[in-house]
């Protein structure tokens, strides 16, 4: 009994001390919460500063084209010049090949940027390259080999030409796609004036659909996206017949020709990369088609240009382990995806991140990049 009393005499003060300490810790935590909340912006900025020193890979497609741009891939020549000027003031511009060499050596440079172009539009040669030379800015241009010498626009551009350009269309559309009947009604949106097109000029996929034409555009894009390159022409021909427009290609949407291709790397400011044969979504392909899309795009470009092609870009940015494996086995040194981020030492060089650039002037360009990465 005496021992029990002695233990109680010792335990009670200890328990009281523990309770007091717990109360003090809880009180401290309450006071620290607003301090932590106040420090979060500074912590995020510090993280951006840390990330912002790592290299960025910028992604472009077209320069100077006008008209509809539902995917936000067109940058005017004037804005592109301002972006290059801003980029040179804030970062050192290097080629993709140089960046990959640094990754291999383990000495990744800070505060640099890489410029890339996808698809192989003719304006890359006639509008982008002169500006790149003016600012002494190296770039890598990824070429879809099957698009060279095309006599018609790619399906995403042709859908825009038919559905998002001013004009009068039939009020209803019926197509047979993959054995299924597909019907749409345009109603009063069958009539689409130049003012209407100008009003919707800056609409992009993901924003509110302004007209029924835009609904049909997006529906058809999804259906054509999942088709093979061989199956699309019949659907597009039916669509042209419905709209009463002839096959053809707008001058500002045409792709390079095989005779123009060697002019891109001439002078050394542009290096060429591969972008598949038909711009297919690679994860959806059979192993045989996947091999053809990746390997043939490399060998075709090497045959035409007489130089090694060492960098690849996944069409639509879509890739999986199988596609990455074929890219590696085909002898490429790197492959670009489309997920947004900066390049760090541990970044997988076969799924390099890129930042898509929109039609911003120089000031907007710097501000948009600074929102994610310190420039």
């Amino acid at each position: 009994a005496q021992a029990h009393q002695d233990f109680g005499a010792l335990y009670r003060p200890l328990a009281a001390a523990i309770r007091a300490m717990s109360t003090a810790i809880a009180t401290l935590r309450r006071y620290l919460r607003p301090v932590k909340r106040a420090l979060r912006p500074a912590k995020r900025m510090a993280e951006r500063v840390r990330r912002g020193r790592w290299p960025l890979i910028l992604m472009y497609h077209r320069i100077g084209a006008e008209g509809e741009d539902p995917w936000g891939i067109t940058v005017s020549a004037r804005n592109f010049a301002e972006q290059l000027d801003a980029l040179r003031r804030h970062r050192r511009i290097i080629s993709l090949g140089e960046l990959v060499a640094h990754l291999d050596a383990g000495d990744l440079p800070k505060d640099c940027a890489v410029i890339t172009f996808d698809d192989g539009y003719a304006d890359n040669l006639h509008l982008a390259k002169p500006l790149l030379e003016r600012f002494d800015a190296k770039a890598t241009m990824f070429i879809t080999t099957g698009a060279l010498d095309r006599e018609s626009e790619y399906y995403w551009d042709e859908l825009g030409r038919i559905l998002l350009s001013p004009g009068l269309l039939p009020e209803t559309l019926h197509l047979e796609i993959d054995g299924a009947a597909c019907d749409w009604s345009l109603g009063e949106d069958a009539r689409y004036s130049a003012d209407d097109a100008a009003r919707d000029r800056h609409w992009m996929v993901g924003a509110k659909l302004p007209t029924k034409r835009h609904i049909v555009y997006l529906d058809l894009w999804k259906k054509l996206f999942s088709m093979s390159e061989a199956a699309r022409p019949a659907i597009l021909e039916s669509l042209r017949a419905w709209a009463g427009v002839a096959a053809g290609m707008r001058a500002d949407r045409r792709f390079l020709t095989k005779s123009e291709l060697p002019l891109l790397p001439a002078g050394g400011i542009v290096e060429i990369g591969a972008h598949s044969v038909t711009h297919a979504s690679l994860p959806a392909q059979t192993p045989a088609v996947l091999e053809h899309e990746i390997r043939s795009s490399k060998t075709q470009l090497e045959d035409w240009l007489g130089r090694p092609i060492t960098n690849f870009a996944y069409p639509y940015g879509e890739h999986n382990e199988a596609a990455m494996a074929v890219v590696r086995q085909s002898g490429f040194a790197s492959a670009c995806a489309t997920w947004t981020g900066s390049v760090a030492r541990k970044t997988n060089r076969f799924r390099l991140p890129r930042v898509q650039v929109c039609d911003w002037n120089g000031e907007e360009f710097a501000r948009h990049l600074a929102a994610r990465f310190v420039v």
Side-chain angles (χ1 to χ4, degrees):
Q2 183 63 43
H4 182 73
Q5 288 175 355
D6 292 343
F7 177 77
L10 290 171
Y11 172 75
R12 281 191 291 273
L14 180 60
I18 292 173
R19 284 195 299 271
M21 186 180 298
S22 298
T23 301
I25 291 172
T27 302
L28 182 61
R29 283 177 175 169
R30 271 201 314 273
Y31 283 110
L32 283 177
R33 284 191 196 107
V35 175
K36 289 174 68 176
R37 282 196 296 269
L39 290 175
R40 280 173 191 162
K43 185 178 179 181
R44 286 195 294 267
M45 177 55 75
E47 177 63 14
R48 284 202 296 270
V49 170
R50 186 188 69 79
R51 289 196 322 246
R53 292 181 56 80
W54 295 116
L56 298 177
I57 305 177
L58 305 179
M59 179 174 62
Y60 292 87
H61 293 78
R62 290 201 308 255
I63 297 297
E66 298 180 354
E68 81 287 343
D69 185 24
W71 299 98
I73 62 173
T74 304
V75 176
S76 71
R78 178 176 178 175
N79 283 345
F80 184 51
E82 291 188 13
Q83 291 173 8
L84 290 175
D85 181 58
L87 200 58
R88 288 207 65 83
R89 285 187 281 108
H90 294 292
R91 294 222 175 209
R92 182 167 61 92
I93 302 174
I94 65 174
S95 71
L96 181 59
E98 290 174 306
L99 176 61
V100 173
H102 281 293
L103 276 170
D104 287 339
D107 63 345
L108 199 62
K110 303 289 184 66
D111 300 316
C112 66
V114 172
I115 297 172
T116 65
F117 282 79
D118 284 6
D119 298 339
Y121 284 95
D123 59 57
N124 292 185
L125 170 65
H126 301 292
L127 294 175
K129 186 183 176 184
L131 290 171
L132 292 168
E133 291 172 332
R134 173 180 158 190
F135 288 93
D136 191 26
K138 297 177 181 179
T140 298
M141 297 187 174
F142 295 107
I143 306 300
T144 306
T145 57
L148 301 181
D149 289 333
R150 278 184 71 100
E151 296 181 354
S152 61
E153 297 178 3
Y154 245 112
Y155 73 93
W156 55 80
D157 285 331
E158 186 144 20
L159 285 178
R161 178 171 74 102
I162 294 170
L163 289 162
L164 305 183
S165 297
L168 179 64
L169 293 174
E171 290 189 8
T172 59
L173 169 62
H174 173 82
L175 294 173
E176 295 285 337
I177 300 179
D178 291 333
C182 300
D183 295 279
W184 295 270
S185 174
L186 295 180
E188 61 183 18
D189 291 329
R191 189 177 299 276
Y192 199 57
S193 68
D195 288 342
D196 294 331
R199 177 198 67 207
D200 301 328
R201 164 71 178 84
H202 298 292
W203 173 79
M204 290 199 306
V205 172
K208 181 180 178 181
L209 296 161
T211 72
K212 291 179 180 178
R213 284 177 175 242
H214 294 78
I215 294 173
V216 176
Y217 170 89
L218 196 54
D219 284 350
L220 282 172
W221 182 90
K222 291 175 181 177
K223 293 180 183 301
L224 290 169
F225 169 82
S226 61
M227 288 184 184
S228 68
E229 180 70 8
R232 290 188 187 118
I235 302 300
L236 291 171
E237 179 56 37
S238 296
L239 191 60
R240 285 192 294 266
W242 166 79
V245 300
M249 182 178 293
R250 290 169 288 185
D252 62 357
R253 305 298 171 105
R254 78 173 181 87
F255 285 84
L256 290 160
T257 63
K258 288 178 184 175
S259 62
E260 288 174 319
L261 179 65
L263 301 178
L264 273 179
I269 205 76
V270 172
E271 65 181 15
I272 301 299
H275 197 41
S276 82
V277 176
T278 69
H279 205 281
S281 174
L282 298 179
Q285 308 308 312
T286 64
V289 173
L290 184 64
E291 288 270 347
H292 170 71
E293 289 285 343
I294 295 171
R295 290 185 186 275
S296 295
S297 65
K298 176 179 171 68
T299 57
Q300 287 171 345
L301 288 169
E302 289 176 339
D303 288 345
W304 295 335
L305 295 172
R307 64 179 70 195
I309 301 298
T310 58
N311 300 301
F312 187 83
Y314 302 107
Y316 312 106
E318 296 196 334
H319 59 285
N320 56 10
E321 290 298 328
M324 292 168 63
V326 175
V327 169
R328 284 193 297 267
Q329 294 160 8
S330 298
F332 288 103
S334 76
C336 287
T338 57
W339 64 278
T340 300
S342 53
V343 179
R345 289 190 182 95
K346 294 183 179 180
T347 300
N348 186 335
R349 70 202 61 200
F350 291 100
R351 59 182 308 269
L352 294 171
R354 290 191 287 176
V355 179
Q356 179 170 337
V357 181
C358 296
D359 192 24
W360 305 313
N361 61 33
E363 185 177 320
E364 292 170 327
F365 171 74
R367 188 168 64 248
H368 275 85
L369 289 185
R372 298 188 181 93
F373 313 100
V374 175
V375 299

